[in-house]
Amino acid sequence: MTRFAILLLLFFSLAASAQDDELPPPTSQPRAPQGQRRPDDDFQGFTTRKKVDLSKFIIEPNFNLSIGQGRVDVGLSPYVGYRIWEPPKRRNTGIGLYAGGGVTYFYTGFRNIEFTDPSGRVYFANANWHTFGGGAFLQYNVWRGLFTRARFEVLHRRLDDFFSGNVTVQLNPQNNTYKVIIPRVNKTIPALLVGAGYNLLMSRNFFFPVLVSYNVLHPFTSPSQRNYSIYPRGLVVQLGFINIF
């Protein structure tokens, strides 16, 4: 009886050992139950950042420095546009529709402006204007450097108003000196320029344009306000940011 029990115990031991041999080796990534995902299945690792496609942008730096007799102009008006549509058959040529915007700052300084009082005495004074604001534009590049553009701007001007006729003079009889007092005013005048131009740079992305436009809002601006506008005429001819007419 004892021998039979020992033989039976050995039989079960061998059977258990055989079952263990059929199991897969230990692993640090155990299988998940069917229909479930392991927690680390969501890990994607490091991905490469997409590079910015500069071919879809147009950049117009627009700066101005002009020094004349009794007048200095300094301006900066950077504009950036992004291509929102291009013809399917003209891909990667720069042709297409662009939308964008920018900001403007423009300074004008006047020296030795001449004034005459009712008695006929002549006085001289200095003045300055500050222009700042921004705008948005739509531009369609037609062919190579040729393009059409519509640009809406809202520009605010803070200026010494020597147009108004309200200039006064304070005299100091003790030392025979005078001080010219020019009233300072603030004016905000919008403009909508619609026209066409040509990029003088041999580049698809950087623009230095000569541009002929018409200010659609000019007829709706009163004559008294046109003196304060950066575009005093309806027709505007520009070289970059510089008004040449």
Side-chain angles (χ1 to χ4, degrees):
M1 186 68 180
T2 304
R3 291 180 180 179
F4 178 76
I6 294 174
L7 291 174
L8 187 61
L9 180 60
L10 290 174
F11 173 77
F12 281 111
S13 299
L14 291 173
S17 176
Q19 290 179 358
D20 290 341
D21 291 339
E22 295 177 359
L23 293 175
T27 175
S28 60
Q29 298 181 351
R31 294 183 181 178
Q34 188 174 2
Q36 298 183 10
R37 300 173 62 183
R38 295 199 314 268
D40 57 351
D41 285 345
D42 295 330
F43 180 71
Q44 301 295 328
F46 296 101
T47 57
T48 304
R49 290 185 178 180
K50 293 183 179 180
K51 295 183 179 180
V52 177
D53 188 358
L54 295 179
S55 66
K56 294 184 179 181
F57 289 86
I58 54 173
I59 301 172
E60 195 171 310
N62 288 340
F63 59 90
N64 177 29
L65 174 60
S66 175
I67 302 176
Q69 184 174 4
R71 177 169 177 165
V72 175
D73 295 289
V74 180
L76 181 65
S77 180
Y79 269 71
V80 178
Y82 181 80
R83 188 173 65 230
I84 58 177
W85 181 82
E86 64 178 343
K89 296 182 180 180
R90 305 300 298 272
R91 295 191 180 279
N92 300 321
T93 60
I95 295 175
L97 180 64
Y98 294 77
V103 296
T104 295
Y105 175 75
F106 195 72
Y107 169 79
T108 304
F110 298 91
R111 296 292 179 270
N112 297 323
I113 305 173
E114 184 177 309
F115 299 96
T116 304
D117 66 7
S119 65
R121 186 172 180 177
V122 177
Y123 301 95
F124 296 91
N126 300 330
N128 59 74
W129 296 353
H130 296 272
T131 304
F132 51 91
F137 73 92
L138 285 174
Q139 175 173 313
Y140 188 80
N141 288 358
V142 181
W143 179 75
R144 295 188 178 179
L146 185 65
F147 64 92
T148 60
R149 177 186 294 179
R151 184 167 76 182
F152 177 73
E153 293 180 327
V154 178
L155 300 179
H156 179 79
R157 307 198 85 173
R158 186 183 181 193
L159 49 90
D160 293 325
D161 185 13
F162 48 78
F163 294 114
S164 64
N166 296 325
V167 179
T168 59
V169 179
Q170 289 182 349
L171 296 175
N172 188 345
Q174 295 181 354
N175 53 13
N176 197 28
T177 60
Y178 65 87
K179 180 180 180 181
V180 178
I181 301 175
I182 305 174
R184 172 152 288 205
V185 299
N186 293 277
K187 299 289 182 178
T188 301
I189 302 176
L192 176 57
L193 304 177
V194 178
Y198 184 79
N199 181 22
L200 298 179
L201 296 180
M202 299 298 294
S203 171
R204 296 177 185 173
N205 306 104
F206 285 90
F207 267 60
F208 184 70
V210 55
L211 182 64
V212 180
S213 304
Y214 180 74
N215 183 6
V216 177
L217 301 183
H218 179 76
F220 306 99
T221 306
S222 65
S224 61
Q225 291 288 84
R226 291 172 187 171
N227 288 330
Y228 304 105
S229 175
I230 196 172
Y231 309 113
R233 305 178 183 89
L235 183 65
V236 181
V237 181
Q238 294 176 298
L239 180 62
F241 182 54
I242 307 170
N243 294 346
I244 57 178
F245 180 81

